[in-house]
């Protein structure tokens, strides 16, 4: 999936002026896939622009790191490599010390822990690097695996985002179907039935979208997981469904459980969607966040309406009970 390159024309190194050479190096760098060393980039630049020297390429690379256009990583090869920040969401690396290949992953648990530590220390973080060194499965067992590299990261990210959205829709469908069967209030039951039907419809759309994505890469289904989000992987409504199964839930409580699930789902997809750089995975997250927000608003309105109806019924019962006999 090709997208127009971002406009970095307004960015300048501290104390520096616009440079045609720097802009040309930037343009070439942004077109590279995966992780490139300074020497790799210089070789590509020299073929395209013989007049640009090695020192200019090195200085421009450092400027791109400082400007958050590029990330600098070390895979234990004795030299640094660079990747374009905008092409990938914030992610971490598993690095094999034998073949020096890297495998990327993103984890809300790792991110959350880093943010918690920084906040506890009053530390304002601007960049973070997590690199785990060891031996990959292929070097350890000889088993060939389909890697995640620069050319496939976006598709793998979209695959995992769709898997989480599908898991959430399935858990939402189960939750609303069960809630509709338990609810005694007709209006509340209708709302749950409508939401169950909507979840089923959206699930079908997402599954079609997933199958189409799979066709773009025969190895995509077997590539390693990129997104590690424990709660979302099993569906964000699963805890709500479990609560309904335990019983003892009245109509108002069922709505409150739904509100809690929808609010959590909306916040999750919005929070991480806004962090990602432009990609199909980002689009999936933000689309889903909007859908969950609409469901949340509907449930809140219905909960308030139910409380008003229950209040009026109580008033009528009290009035009838206190009316003198004729």
């Amino acid at each position: 999936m090709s997208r127009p390159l971002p406009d970095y024309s307004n960015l300048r190194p501290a104390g520096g002026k616009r440079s045609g050479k720097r802009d040309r190096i930037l343009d070439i760098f942004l077109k590279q896939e995966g992780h490139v060393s300074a020497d790799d980039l210089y070789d590509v630049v020299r073929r395209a622009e013989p007049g640009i020297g090695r020192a200019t390429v090195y200085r421009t690379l450092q400027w791109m790191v400082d400007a958050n256009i590029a990330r600098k990583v070390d895979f234990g090869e004795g030299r640094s490599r660079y990747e374009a920040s905008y092409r990938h969401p914030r992610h971490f690396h598993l690095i094999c010390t034998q073949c020096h290949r890297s495998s990327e992953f993103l984890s809300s648990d790792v991110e959350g822990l880093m943010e918690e530590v920084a906040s506890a220390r009053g530390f304002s973080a601007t960049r973070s690097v997590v690199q785990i060194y060891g031996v990959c499965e292929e070097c350890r067992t000889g088993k060939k695996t389909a890697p995640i590299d620069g050319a496939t990261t976006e598709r793998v990210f979209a695959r995992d985002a769709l898997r989480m959205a599908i898991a959430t829709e399935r858990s939402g469908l189960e939750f609303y179907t069960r809630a509709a069967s338990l609810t005694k209030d007709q209006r509340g039951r209708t709302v749950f039935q409508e939401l169950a039907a909507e979840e089923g419809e959206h699930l079908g759309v997402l599954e079609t979208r997933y199958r189409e994505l799979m066709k773009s890469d025969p190895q995509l289904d077997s590539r390693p997981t990129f997104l590690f989000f424990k709660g979302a992987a099993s569906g964000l409504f699963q805890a709500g469904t479990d609560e309904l199964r335990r019983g003892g839930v009245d109509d108002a409580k069922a709505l409150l459980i739904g509100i809690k699930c929808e609010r959590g789902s909306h916040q999750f997809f919005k929070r991480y969607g806004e962090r990602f750089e432009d990609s199909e995975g980002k689009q999936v997250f933000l689309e889903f966040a909007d859908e969950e927000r609409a469901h949340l608003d509907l449930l809140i309105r219905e909960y308030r309406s139910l409380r008003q109806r229950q209040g009026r019924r109580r008033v009528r019962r009290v009035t009838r009970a206190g009316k003198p006999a004729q």
Side-chain angles (χ1 to χ4, degrees), residues 14-309:
K17 299 179 179 179
R18 286 294 305 275
S19 164
K21 289 183 178 180
R22 188 207 69 193
D23 290 347
R24 182 62 178 138
I25 294 168
L26 172 61
D27 180 65
I28 292 172
F29 173 73
L30 292 175
K31 293 177 180 176
Q32 304 308 301
E33 296 286 356
H35 308 89
V36 297
S37 68
D39 291 336
D40 293 336
L41 182 61
Y42 171 65
D43 289 341
V44 177
V45 170
R46 184 178 56 180
R47 289 194 293 270
E49 301 286 348
I52 297 179
R54 187 184 298 271
T56 303
V57 172
Y58 288 3
R59 285 196 300 270
T60 300
L61 267 175
Q62 186 57 51
W63 166 77
M64 286 191 287
V65 171
D66 294 339
N68 259 339
I69 298 171
R71 296 189 187 97
K72 183 178 181 179
V73 292
D74 180 1
F75 293 155
E77 305 168 287
R79 60 176 179 173
S80 297
R81 290 186 175 273
Y82 302 83
E83 62 181 357
S85 296
Y86 90 94
R87 286 188 174 174
H88 309 308
R90 179 185 179 192
H91 59 276
F92 314 116
H93 294 93
L94 297 167
I95 302 167
C96 180
T97 55
Q98 293 189 15
C99 65
H100 300 295
R101 288 183 300 181
S102 70
S103 178
E104 299 174 349
F105 71 97
L106 187 151
S107 170
S108 60
D109 302 304
V110 174
E111 281 196 339
L113 180 58
M114 291 192 301
E115 291 167 5
E116 182 182 339
V117 171
S119 176
R121 298 289 184 88
F123 186 78
S124 178
T126 56
R127 288 196 298 270
S128 59
V129 177
V130 172
Q131 297 181 167
I132 302 174
Y133 293 87
V135 182
C136 69
E137 183 179 17
E138 189 168 330
C139 288
R140 191 164 41 83
T141 66
K143 178 184 176 182
K144 294 291 183 181
T145 57
I148 300 177
D149 52 32
T152 60
T153 296
E154 184 172 325
R155 289 196 296 272
V156 171
F157 174 34
R159 178 203 66 186
D160 291 352
L162 282 168
R163 283 177 176 175
M164 280 188 285
I166 288 170
T168 300
E169 289 287 25
R170 284 176 178 163
S171 65
L173 175 58
E174 183 180 5
F175 173 82
Y176 287 121
T177 300
R178 183 173 290 273
S181 69
L182 296 174
T183 301
K184 297 180 176 62
D185 179 72
Q186 180 57 48
R187 281 187 51 175
R189 186 184 310 118
T190 299
V191 167
F192 284 139
Q193 289 171 339
E194 289 174 353
L195 285 172
E198 194 170 323
E199 297 283 84
E201 181 181 344
H202 289 169
L203 177 60
V205 171
L206 288 170
E207 288 176 334
T208 298
R209 195 168 173 181
Y210 183 81
R211 287 192 294 270
E212 291 172 351
L213 180 65
M214 290 297 105
K215 294 177 184 177
S216 68
D217 180 354
Q219 292 185 298
L220 187 56
D221 194 48
S222 62
R223 294 188 191 278
T225 301
F226 177 61
L227 298 178
F228 287 88
F229 291 165
K230 289 182 179 177
S234 59
L236 291 168
F237 286 77
Q238 189 59 52
T241 303
D242 292 341
E243 193 167 353
L244 293 182
R245 284 200 188 101
R246 287 193 289 270
V249 176
D250 62 16
D251 295 357
K253 180 64 174 177
L255 285 166
L256 286 174
I257 296 171
I259 288 169
K260 181 180 178 181
C261 291
E262 290 288 2
R263 181 176 284 120
S265 182
H266 166 72
Q267 291 174 345
F268 171 83
F269 283 100
K270 187 173 188 293
R271 177 188 182 197
Y272 284 98
E274 289 178 344
R275 289 186 180 187
F276 300 147
E277 290 86 355
D278 286 341
S279 63
E280 186 175 355
K282 177 187 181 79
Q283 183 181 352
V284 170
F285 267 59
L286 292 182
E287 285 176 359
F288 210 75
D290 288 343
E291 177 188 319
E292 302 298 76
R293 179 73 228 189
H295 290 179
L296 174 61
D297 291 342
L298 174 61
L299 288 172
I300 291 174
R301 288 196 301 271
E302 180 53 33
Y303 176 76
R304 290 171 178 168
S305 176
L306 174 64
R307 282 307 194 192
Q308 289 174 354
R309 295 195 302 275

